[in-house]
Amino acid sequence: MARPHSRSMDLETKPADSALAEPAHPIFRLVEIMARLRQPVGGCPWDLEQTFASIAPYTIEEAYEVADAIERGDLQHLKEELGDLLLQVIFHSRMAEEAGAFGFADVAEAINAKMVRRHPHVFGEARHRSAAEQTVAWEAIKADERSAKAGAAPASLLDDVPVALPALTRAVKLSKRAARVGFVWPSAAEVLAKLHEEVAELEAEVAAGDAVKAGEELGDVLFVCANLARQLGVDPEAALRGANAKFVRRFGFIEAALAAKGSSPEASDLAEMDALWNAAKAAERAAG
């Protein structure tokens, strides 16, 4: 997906009398660049057409690209992707400022206040905490914040778990939140037992040929898998990314092996490709 700023106007092509002044810090220059791009007269037509909704997919994509750079240990790429993600914050802030809601400075001030508020052991009088104690305290502070936002209205414990999160990630957060009040399987073994139960129910619906109910049962299986990931301290998104990478690697082995014989997956059959898949697994095990 093309990045928003890749289609923006080249600042160097602007007339000299409209050149950007050099602010004291690069972050202020970026804010000014975005303001220029959004100017009704002389701005970038593409940037001017954007809304919060149209930019949101870019924001999500850039966050994933940051995660990808971290996973690959590519710090140069990480620097670039963090810049792209920062641009998204500036872009949304600029549109909010145009709507009279808030600006980038308000965003920065809000997160500054939140970080100080959530670290009383650093910025206040609270005693020093271990990482485990701080995690408990952090969640308690967040709970107080949720209650304050809700006012007199009763708030669900799950209300502020974002719906737009990837489904597996949200499942982990939902189960983690419920676990805080004791609604949790005590051990991974019990989660596995529940997983077997859900798989049996899925098998029954598949055998019955009911695709709708099978889909619902598959969702239950995935939700329990997310619970198991939480119990094991595993990020299910990272685990699935690893499985995806493994699939790509092994399928590449199949393609290469078939090509060496003058063949291809299209000209092969499942039995041959499955044998090559097993060969790929064996080669990975031998390589350690």
Side-chain angles (χ1 to χ4, degrees), residues 1 84 97 126 168 180 201 203 271 278:
M1 186 181 292
D84 290 341
E97 185 171 358
L168 280 175
R180 295 216 312 264
E201 292 178 5
E203 289 174 341
N278 290 331

Side-chain angles (χ1 to χ4, degrees), residues 5 11 16 34 41 67 87 92 94 129 133 151 154 162 164 186 211 226 228 260:
H5 60 282
L11 293 172
M34 180 50 64
V41 178
L87 177 63
H92 285 287
R94 178 61 196 177
R129 296 188 178 110
E133 289 174 328
L228 181 59

Side-chain angles (χ1 to χ4, degrees), residues 11 63 77-78 81 111 119 140 170 184 186 193 244 247 249 273:
L11 293 172
H77 193 205
L78 176 60
E81 295 302 339
I111 190 60
H119 293 83
R170 187 164 191 260
V184 59
N244 289 343
F247 182 87
R249 186 172 64 247
M273 288 190 284

Side-chain angles (χ1 to χ4, degrees), residues 7 15 17 34-35 42 46 48 69 80-81 86 129 131 143 148 160 173 175 211-212 214 227 277 283:
R7 305 192 207 181
D17 61 358
M34 180 50 64
W46 187 88
L48 284 166
E80 296 170 4
E81 295 302 339
L86 176 60
R129 296 188 178 110
D160 64 340
K173 287 185 174 292
S175 63
V212 173
N227 268 271
W277 178 274

Side-chain angles (χ1 to χ4, degrees), residues 144-156 159:
D144 289 342
E145 291 171 354
R146 286 194 297 272
S147 296
K149 287 180 182 178
S156 168
D159 274 352

Side-chain angles (χ1 to χ4, degrees), residues 9 13 64 106 193 218-221 277:
M9 59 187 257
T13 65
Y64 275 116
D106 302 302
L218 179 58
D220 291 343
V221 168
W277 178 274

Side-chain angles (χ1 to χ4, degrees), residues 14-20 36:
K14 293 288 289 181
D17 61 358
S18 63
L20 290 169
R36 173 69 61 80

